[in-house]
Amino acid sequence: MKTTELTPSDLLEFSSIISLNPNYEGCWQSVYFSQLYGTSFGLYAKIIFNKKERTIDKISLRLINYKGVINLGIKSATYNSKRKRIRVEENYSKVDNKHINVISIKLVIQGLNKTTKVNDIIIDFKLPEGTENHYLEIDRSLCSMTEKKDEDITDSNVFDSEFYYRDGLRTSETISRDYRDAIGVNPTVNSKNKVIDEKGNEIDENSTTDKGSGGICPKGYSLIVF
């Protein structure tokens, strides 16, 4: 794979845009859209930005369910301060990787969860002067509706089709995806373009092969403008 030097002006070909203009502080801005359990949903953010200090202080999130029969909710949402710079494979091309700076929110979605709003996630991040490629990243994962491993998954009135297969009276089986899903893409990198873990240690990028349910479109990016 071709290794490229970090280019501060790298911009993604596809992204949303969010504004830190104080006039939009009270607005819910769209930051992520996806589909789980056949339900289309959107995620919106309200951002508190200190223009004088150039700091993003807080972010609130709101999830809206659209078409679909399973209501989705927010299990948790936290700021990942360890994830600051990432390498992006746009269109799954390993030839011309791009590098962007991110403010990353770890979002856990769960079917039948009634929480659709999370207020005041503390960010306290200072945007450097002259930065052109900072993005808000939504790093989404999916939590099973059946959280207890010893629970009979067929006892519920709603079958968790994102995590299990079933076929009549046969024992239900956990989904094991053999194809390369999107959970492990766009890894965190250091200044040497080496993939690192959350502790900052360099790791073998070929070992980041996480697979599993909810692995389609798990990440969304919004370019931050003023």
Side-chain angles (χ1 to χ4, degrees), residues 84-109:
K84 297 180 179 180
R85 179 165 54 204
I86 66 173
R87 185 176 69 213
V88 179
E89 300 173 13
E90 274 204 312
N91 302 322
Y92 287 91
S93 170
K94 289 191 174 183
V95 178
D96 296 316
N97 293 321
K98 294 182 178 180
H99 300 81
I100 60 174
N101 305 304
V102 294
I103 298 168
S104 184
I105 301 295
K106 296 181 69 172
L107 175 73
V108 181
I109 296 294

Side-chain angles (χ1 to χ4, degrees), residues 45-208:
K46 187 180 290 186
I47 302 170
I48 304 299
F49 177 64
N50 186 320
K51 185 176 182 180
K52 181 179 180 180
E53 299 295 331
R54 288 182 62 84
T55 56
I56 295 178
D57 298 330
K58 300 177 182 179
I59 293 179
S60 297
L61 298 176
R62 183 178 179 183
L63 184 150
I64 297 179
N65 290 290
Y66 292 101
K67 300 278 290 184
V69 297
I70 301 295
N71 285 333
L72 303 171
I74 300 173
K75 177 71 173 177
S76 64
T78 56
Y79 169 51
N80 184 2
S81 61
K82 301 294 185 181
R83 186 168 164 85
K84 297 180 179 180
R85 179 165 54 204
I86 66 173
R87 185 176 69 213
V88 179
E89 300 173 13
E90 274 204 312
N91 302 322
Y92 287 91
S93 170
K94 289 191 174 183
V95 178
D96 296 316
N97 293 321
K98 294 182 178 180
H99 300 81
I100 60 174
N101 305 304
V102 294
I103 298 168
S104 184
I105 301 295
K106 296 181 69 172
L107 175 73
V108 181
I109 296 294
Q110 185 180 38
L112 303 182
N113 191 305
K114 295 182 179 180
T115 301
T116 57
K117 190 176 180 181
V118 177
N119 291 321
D120 298 336
I121 302 169
I122 302 299
I123 305 296
D124 194 23
F125 179 84
K126 185 177 179 65
L127 285 168
E129 291 285 350
T131 300
E132 296 180 352
N133 70 334
H134 259 93
Y135 288 78
L136 176 65
E137 176 189 59
I138 302 300
D139 189 2
R140 193 269 304 155
S141 60
L142 178 65
C143 177
S144 174
M145 290 188 283
T146 306
E147 296 187 62
K148 297 180 180 179
K149 293 184 178 180
D150 58 349
E151 183 178 342
D152 187 346
I153 60 174
T154 62
D155 284 348
S156 173
N157 290 326
V158 179
F159 185 79
D160 198 334
S161 59
E162 284 282 350
F163 284 82
Y164 302 96
Y165 287 121
R166 70 174 174 182
D167 181 13
L169 297 178
R170 294 173 59 188
T171 302
S172 301
E173 298 182 7
T174 302
I175 293 175
S176 177
R177 291 192 166 102
D178 293 327
Y179 65 86
R180 177 174 180 255
D181 67 24
I183 292 178
V185 303
N186 303 348
T188 309
V189 296
N190 58 20
S191 59
K192 296 183 292 185
N193 193 24
K194 298 293 185 179
V195 177
I196 58 176
D197 60 20
E198 290 195 355
K199 295 182 179 179
N201 300 316
E202 294 184 4
I203 58 176
D204 178 7
E205 62 182 282
N206 294 320
S207 68
T208 57

